[in-house]
Amino acid sequence: NVENLEKNFLSSWGKLPEEIKTSYGESYLRQFVSMLKVLQKTYNSDLSLVTNCMEHALTSLHPRTRYSAGWDAKLLYLPISYLPSALSDAL
């Protein structure tokens, strides 16, 4: 729920010392909130993808090294995880 995430983030932001808030700036706050709203459109509401991976990892005789829950993880995030850190950070 993006509203809860935004509420928790703003609550945590309010508890930070002024020195840290100044260091990050108000633009960081606005960017984070807008990023949450953009990412909300890509969220998958089917949590069973994750719980099925967890169940397999806990109960399998031979658990996998890496699990990918959903097509976005299989086609995007898993291949990126095999790249060198500098390149994956840039992407």
Side-chain angles (χ1 to χ4, degrees):
N1 186 342
V2 173
E3 290 82 23
N4 286 341
L5 284 173
E6 185 177 347
K7 180 181 167 186
N8 289 335
F9 178 77
L10 292 174
S11 172
S12 298
W13 180 266
K15 295 175 185 175
L16 288 174
E18 287 302 320
E19 176 184 319
I20 295 175
K21 288 182 190 177
T22 305
S23 175
Y24 279 92
E26 291 297 319
S27 64
Y28 176 81
L29 178 63
R30 287 190 301 274
Q31 287 175 347
F32 185 82
V33 171
S34 65
M35 182 184 66
L36 278 178
K37 292 178 182 174
V38 169
L39 288 176
Q40 179 185 16
K41 296 173 185 168
T42 65
Y43 291 163
N44 189 343
S45 60
D46 184 12
L47 297 180
S48 69
L49 296 171
V50 176
T51 56
N52 289 344
C53 288
M54 292 172 64
E55 179 184 8
H56 185 272
L58 293 171
T59 60
S60 175
L61 183 60
H62 301 288
R64 299 182 195 123
T65 307
R66 296 176 188 229
Y67 287 86
S68 53
W71 286 106
D72 57 343
K74 286 177 178 55
L75 298 175
L76 180 65
Y77 299 114
L78 189 62
I80 288 176
S81 72
Y82 287 104
L83 295 174
S85 302
L87 189 55
S88 65
D89 290 347
L91 292 174

